[in-house]
Amino acid sequence: MAPAWAQRQMTVTGKITDKQSGRGLPYVSVALYSAADSTLINGVLADDQGDFRFEKLAVAGYYLEMQLMGYHNARMALPAFPDGTSTMALPPVAMLADERLLNAVDVKGNRESVESQIDRQVYRAGQFLGSQGGTAIDVLRNTASVTVNSEGDITLRGSTGFLVLVNGKPVQTEPSVILSQIPANSIEHIEVITSPSARYDPDGKSGIINITTKVAGRDSQSLVLNIQGGVPSIKTYHNLKAPQRFGADAAWGLKAGKWEVNVSGNYQRNDIAGRRTGDVNTTLGDIFTSFPSDGERSLKRYNYTTRASVTFTADPFHVLSAGLYKGYRFQSRRADLVYHNSKTNIETGANVGAITYFNSNVAQKSNDVTLGNLDYTHRFANQSELVLSGLIESAKLDGLTTNINLAEPDRDRTLQHSRNPSENPLNAYRVQGDYSVPIGKGKLETGYQYRNQVQKGIFQYLDQNPESGEFVLVPQFSSRTRVENHIHSVYGQYGGKAGKWAYSGGLRYEYATRRFEAAGTGPRKLELSNFFPSAQLQYQPGHGWSVKAGYTRRVQRSTTNELNPFPEREHSETLESGDPDILPEFIGQAEVGAAKEFEKGSAFLTAYHQRIKNVVNRVNSVYNDSIINRIYTNAGRAISWGMEAGSTVNLAKWWQLYAGANVYRYKIEGGLFRNTVDVNTSSLVYSINANTTFRLTHAWQVQWAINYLSKRVTAQGEDSRFVNPSLSVKKTFLKGKLAATLQWQSMDFGLLDANQQRITTWGKEFYTTTNYIQETDIFLINLSYNLNQLTKKAKLPASEFGDREF
């Protein structure tokens, strides 16, 4: 018969409090472990007062672990059970708030804009006043590694290829599209991951950008409202219509008991006026053709999105979450240009033809995406964790390019009228399972993932019959396409800490198939079997110093635009087409760096090296004497050596300076058009993103910022420098709950040539140069109201595949 003490069952009660305020912390996860072998015995959630209770416990040794988002984990060993009683009341357990997750509004004084970690740099979105009321792109343009040029192209360490995560969930889309749909006001921070581990998708040749959004604090509701409006344009460039700029976004969150609910939505209209001036010439035989142009180039663009997510934590061992996303984006680019076309005989110098005409080219794109995701997390008794997740998406991608040539100067006679309608619906899904288990001083992570994507396209070229007025299909420029991608991947990774060292190493294997079909051509199949290793190492010697090194291998997959061989009439002087045999790019990237935290700020410096195989470029060839054909093609190999640095310095209690810079040498070696044209170009490129903030009073802030991108070499030419300064003035009211910000974007007043960039290309038979002049001196007013500040991240879904083809 067992002794009496072994049969006795105990009840343990306790309370969790906030260390600073002493108040009870609601809904803390409390786990009870055996002291003998760390086996998980039971788990509960504290109630709304922070009280918890364990019943029917055998007399033995135990310890507790407490977890709550926004607080450091706490651990407590249970004392020996007293004799003669069946109940033991524990002293209160105080948990310390994690200062890194505090909202910027709740902090007095200046905080650093950037934090260095083993594989990434973390930027606080709230530090960049000029981005408020804008989108994630406006936040990103302030980071050391990222640049945004006049056309809105985003590059990370000089490359447009990178993977976007939203709250850690991968988004296989065109980065500029998804980033333009996320309101800057909803972002907690942005992580620029330049040395990703094996558990991440290998997509994106320069790394990963992770957007972390805000949610409500524990046991509370929250509401954030933002509205923005723009004053009339100072300079209209004689555009057909005046630009409109206004928007609003709202986010509501509830976190109580076992439930967490987040809903957000936004609408943004952000037109921009502008013009372009260019010159193109071709040489075919003994005829030299020149067709300079000048006129309007403006953008009408708007988007709206709604997102919702719900998470149910049944107990510390079972968590279920679901999300729904609906997003729509529209953009219309208008180019109304006057062309002066002339032909000259090279041998005789005689003018053999000339015409002046007006070309109106309007390119419209829309993207309507609906998707849902479901995730389940199970925690086991040995502290291991299994996460199962799935995502399904349906996207409707449509386009229409209208091209009209009219006789000058009266514009009463149509010379040509064509239309390029396109439909490109996409259906995709992904399923994956991830398992992690503590082993020794680290954690082993493994997982499997399957991705499926099917995209059908209908691309038409319609030319108007001048006699009947009917539009007739031109088979030469029309096509039906189908692209299928199937990707299976498995990975294993181990990481941990030992003293002053942190380390991680892993390997990902991927088997991928791609099948491309176009009407009138045979199917093109591509099978790929690749390993993607990764390794990260960090050492912290003390006194605020840390040094790190990392390596990762990545892939940049081809889009439908890059694959489709049938030309699309971009505008009067260009056609654009792809290559059905184009190969994905494979990238090896290594980096070493150091970071230092000091009394008045911090600084980091990272050197990196990148080698790209099968580098893809959009290059030009001559289609006929007045049309250039832009073609996506592999251009051999690219190599870059670079260095990036950033620093935040509090020069005084009221004055903070932040600066980030990136400099790299980029070289392309290889050949174009099946090696018929040799390529061997290189250049030194640098960018600077900086701002200085003056806190005039507790409620008043002024921030001046500048983004500068130097001239850079491309496969067939060069892009000029690009500069974009801005000024923001912010005033808070109602103890920080209400804020008004006046923004002066693209400061110029005719002095700096801001917000414009010249793109030039040349070859044996052609030369093109175009100066894109975007609107400057834009003034916006942003109002923001916060009821119960949002903090930390919400698992709101984001488009997985569809926006990439936008």
Side-chain angles (χ1 to χ4, degrees):
M1 183 175 180
W5 63 265
Q7 298 178 10
R8 185 159 55 109
Q9 292 186 326
M10 299 294 297
T11 297
V12 175
T13 62
K15 187 180 185 67
I16 313 295
T17 64
D18 179 273
K19 187 172 184 177
Q20 183 175 3
S21 67
R23 293 194 297 266
L25 281 178
Y27 312 118
V28 178
S29 295
V30 185
L32 180 73
Y33 293 93
S34 167
D37 56 9
S38 296
T39 300
L40 181 63
I41 304 300
N42 198 0
V44 298
L45 283 178
D47 64 17
D48 57 1
Q49 300 299 317
D51 296 318
F52 65 90
R53 182 184 185 92
F54 290 99
E55 297 179 336
K56 298 181 180 180
L57 299 179
V59 178
Y62 301 100
Y63 66 90
L64 299 175
E65 283 193 356
M66 282 68 71
Q67 296 183 10
L68 179 64
M69 186 75 75
Y71 285 81
H72 293 285
N73 293 347
R75 183 168 177 165
M76 175 186 183
L78 266 63
F81 286 105
D83 294 330
T85 180
S86 60
T87 302
M88 180 171 63
L90 301 175
V93 180
M95 295 185 69
L96 179 65
D98 189 343
E99 295 294 329
R100 296 172 300 175
L101 299 177
L102 288 177
N103 188 279
V105 177
D106 299 324
V107 180
K108 310 298 182 184
N110 294 332
R111 295 179 57 203
E112 296 177 18
S113 302
V114 58
E115 176 189 350
S116 297
Q117 297 182 9
I118 185 172
D119 60 347
R120 69 195 67 188
Q121 306 295 331
V122 182
Y123 296 87
R124 291 197 312 109
Q127 286 291 96
F128 307 116
L129 301 185
S131 67
Q132 294 179 5
T135 68
I137 295 177
D138 299 301
V139 181
L140 276 169
R141 69 171 76 244
N142 294 283
T143 65
S145 308
V146 177
T147 60
V148 183
N149 70 5
S150 64
E151 291 296 278
D153 297 327
I154 308 168
T155 62
L156 173 59
R157 287 184 173 176
S159 170
T160 56
F162 54 88
L163 178 65
V164 173
L165 306 180
V166 179
N167 297 321
K169 298 183 69 66
V171 181
Q172 301 298 330
T173 67
E174 177 64 33
S176 62
V177 175
I178 191 66
L179 294 173
S180 68
Q181 293 183 350
I182 301 176
N185 297 318
S186 70
I187 299 174
E188 178 70 19
H189 57 253
I190 286 181
E191 300 174 343
V192 180
I193 309 172
T194 53
S195 183
S197 64
R199 70 183 179 91
Y200 292 109
D201 288 357
D203 300 60
K205 59 185 177 184
S206 56
I208 295 173
I209 292 175
N210 183 34
I211 308 295
T212 301
T213 57
K214 303 173 184 176
V215 298
R218 180 71 66 173
D219 191 31
S220 67
Q221 293 190 60
S222 63
L223 179 66
V224 175
L225 301 173
N226 299 281
I227 59 173
Q228 185 183 72
V231 303
S233 298
I234 293 177
K235 192 171 183 180
T236 63
Y237 305 91
H238 304 290
N239 286 180
L240 185 64
K241 295 182 179 180
Q244 300 182 47
R245 286 181 283 267
F246 59 90
D249 61 83
W252 174 81
L254 169 67
K255 187 181 291 185
K258 299 179 178 182
W259 293 93
E260 177 182 342
V261 181
N262 291 280
V263 179
S264 66
N266 76 289
Y267 178 89
Q268 184 186 53
R269 177 73 179 265
N270 186 24
D271 301 347
I272 189 164
R275 61 186 290 261
R276 54 155 279 192
T277 179
D279 190 11
V280 180
N281 60 65
T282 63
T283 304
L284 292 179
D286 57 358
I287 300 299
F288 175 82
T289 303
S290 175
F291 40 106
S293 61
D294 182 79
E296 173 180 349
R297 189 180 189 278
S298 60
L299 294 171
K300 174 185 176 181
R301 51 194 182 184
Y302 62 87
N303 69 78
Y304 56 85
T305 60
T306 57
R307 290 190 177 102
S309 71
V310 58
T311 299
F312 176 69
T313 304
D315 52 49
F317 315 109
H318 304 276
V319 180
L320 186 67
S321 62
L324 183 67
Y325 169 96
K326 176 71 173 179
Y328 182 84
R329 185 190 184 198
F330 175 86
Q331 175 178 295
S332 177
R333 189 269 300 140
R334 173 176 291 275
D336 287 348
L337 309 172
V338 175
Y339 283 86
H340 302 278
N341 190 315
S342 64
K343 300 178 185 294
T344 305
N345 188 298
I346 298 176
E347 295 183 358
T348 65
N351 190 318
V352 295
I355 184 175
T356 298
Y357 61 93
F358 171 78
N359 170 254
S360 178
N361 181 276
V362 179
Q364 297 180 353
K365 298 178 181 179
S366 65
N367 186 348
D368 191 351
V369 180
T370 304
L371 66 90
N373 71 286
L374 183 66
D375 303 300
Y376 169 72
T377 302
H378 178 74
R379 299 184 177 97
F380 295 92
N382 63 350
Q383 302 185 50
S384 64
E385 184 176 276
L386 174 67
V387 180
L388 303 176
S389 60
L391 183 146
I392 187 169
E393 174 175 357
S394 176
K396 183 180 180 183
L397 312 172
D398 294 334
L400 175 62
T401 300
T402 304
N403 193 76
I404 305 175
N405 291 335
L406 302 175
E408 275 283 297
D410 297 328
R411 303 181 186 178
D412 56 358
R413 181 166 57 91
T414 301
L415 304 177
Q416 184 190 31
H417 188 181
S418 63
R419 295 164 61 90
N420 285 63
S422 65
E423 299 177 9
N424 207 10
L426 178 148
N427 291 284
Y429 66 89
R430 123 184 346 234
V431 292
Q432 67 184 68
D434 301 279
Y435 178 74
S436 62
V437 57
I439 297 179
K441 295 184 178 181
K443 180 169 65 173
L444 176 66
E445 299 175 85
T446 61
Y448 165 79
Q449 180 187 98
Y450 171 67
R451 291 157 58 184
N452 175 287
Q453 176 184 346
V454 178
Q455 187 167 13
K456 302 176 182 179
I458 301 175
F459 305 93
Q460 296 180 313
Y461 186 94
L462 307 175
D463 205 2
Q464 187 182 52
N465 185 313
E467 297 181 357
S468 66
E470 295 181 355
F471 285 91
V472 180
L473 181 71
V474 180
Q476 182 182 0
F477 301 141
S478 304
S479 67
R480 290 177 176 266
T481 63
R482 178 185 174 92
V483 183
E484 292 185 31
N485 284 291
H486 302 271
I487 304 170
H488 298 266
S489 58
V490 294
Y491 75 91
Q493 174 181 302
Y494 184 78
K497 293 183 178 181
K500 297 181 178 181
W501 293 91
Y503 53 88
S504 176
L507 183 66
R508 190 181 189 97
Y509 171 76
E510 184 179 275
Y511 175 73
T513 63
R514 184 186 77 194
R515 180 185 175 94
F516 175 79
E517 299 178 43
T521 65
R524 309 294 178 94
K525 301 177 182 179
L526 181 66
E527 293 188 19
L528 297 170
S529 179
N530 288 283
F531 288 96
F532 297 93
S534 68
Q536 295 81 32
L537 184 66
Q538 184 182 57
Y539 177 66
Q540 295 179 309
H543 304 289
W545 280 98
S546 66
V547 293
K548 66 178 183 179
Y551 173 82
T552 183
R553 185 172 188 254
R554 308 194 62 74
V555 62
Q556 184 69 29
R557 307 183 201 279
S558 306
T559 66
T560 301
N561 289 338
E562 295 170 344
L563 288 165
N564 187 8
F566 293 89
E568 178 186 357
R569 192 74 177 267
E570 279 288 292
H571 51 78
S572 180
E573 66 195 46
T574 63
L575 293 171
E576 184 171 296
S577 60
D579 178 358
D581 297 315
I582 202 168
L583 298 173
E585 299 172 286
F586 289 95
I587 305 96
Q589 182 168 283
E591 65 176 40
V592 294
K596 168 67 173 175
E597 295 183 1
F598 45 92
E599 183 179 355
K600 293 188 176 182
S602 64
F604 73 89
L605 178 68
T606 304
Y608 60 90
H609 174 60
Q610 188 181 79
R611 301 177 72 90
I612 307 173
K613 180 183 178 182
N614 307 326
V615 62
V616 173
N617 271 264
R618 190 178 74 172
V619 297
N620 292 341
S621 64
V622 177
Y623 179 78
N624 64 28
D625 61 355
S626 61
I627 297 179
I628 297 294
N629 195 10
R630 293 175 174 171
I631 304 173
Y632 290 98
T633 185
N634 296 114
R637 182 182 66 174
I639 300 174
S640 68
W641 291 88
M643 184 173 293
E644 62 188 18
S647 180
T648 302
V649 180
N650 295 311
L651 301 173
K653 290 183 178 181
W654 50 270
W655 184 12
Q656 185 181 77
L657 177 66
Y658 161 79
N662 181 34
V663 57
Y664 64 93
R665 182 177 182 271
Y666 184 73
K667 183 175 183 179
I668 302 176
E669 295 178 336
L672 303 174
F673 312 120
R674 306 295 185 266
N675 294 317
T676 58
V677 178
D678 291 334
V679 176
N680 190 347
T681 61
S682 66
S683 69
L684 187 70
V685 183
Y686 63 92
S687 62
I688 299 172
N689 299 316
N691 67 63
T692 184
T693 304
F694 302 92
R695 187 180 292 273
L696 305 180
T697 67
H698 174 72
W700 282 94
Q701 291 185 69
V702 177
Q703 184 178 91
W704 181 81
I706 187 169
N707 309 115
Y708 181 87
L709 173 62
S710 74
K711 180 177 72 174
R712 72 181 185 96
V713 167
T714 61
Q716 286 184 298
E718 66 180 25
D719 299 346
S720 73
R721 72 98 166 108
F722 176 71
V723 61
N724 203 356
S726 64
L727 181 70
S728 301
V729 180
K730 181 179 180 180
K731 172 71 167 68
T732 60
F733 308 87
L734 304 177
K735 297 181 179 180
K737 293 185 180 296
L738 178 65
T741 306
L742 174 65
Q743 299 168 340
W744 179 5
Q745 297 181 354
S746 302
M747 299 173 63
D748 184 78
F749 275 132
L751 302 175
L752 302 173
D753 290 332
N755 209 21
Q756 61 177 278
Q757 190 171 36
R758 180 173 291 276
I759 311 296
T760 304
T761 65
W762 57 81
K764 183 179 179 181
E765 298 175 330
F766 71 91
Y767 173 86
T768 75
T769 182
T770 305
N771 192 20
Y772 297 97
I773 303 170
Q774 306 277 19
E775 186 177 357
T776 58
D777 299 314
I778 299 171
F779 289 88
L780 300 167
I781 298 174
N782 186 77
L783 295 177
S784 178
Y785 180 72
N786 296 262
L787 178 63
N788 293 335
Q789 295 288 337
L790 293 174
T791 57
K792 303 176 281 294
K793 65 181 181 180
K795 291 188 175 180
L796 298 176
S799 175
E800 176 71 18
F801 302 103
D803 293 333
R804 189 178 185 191
E805 305 299 340
F806 186 81

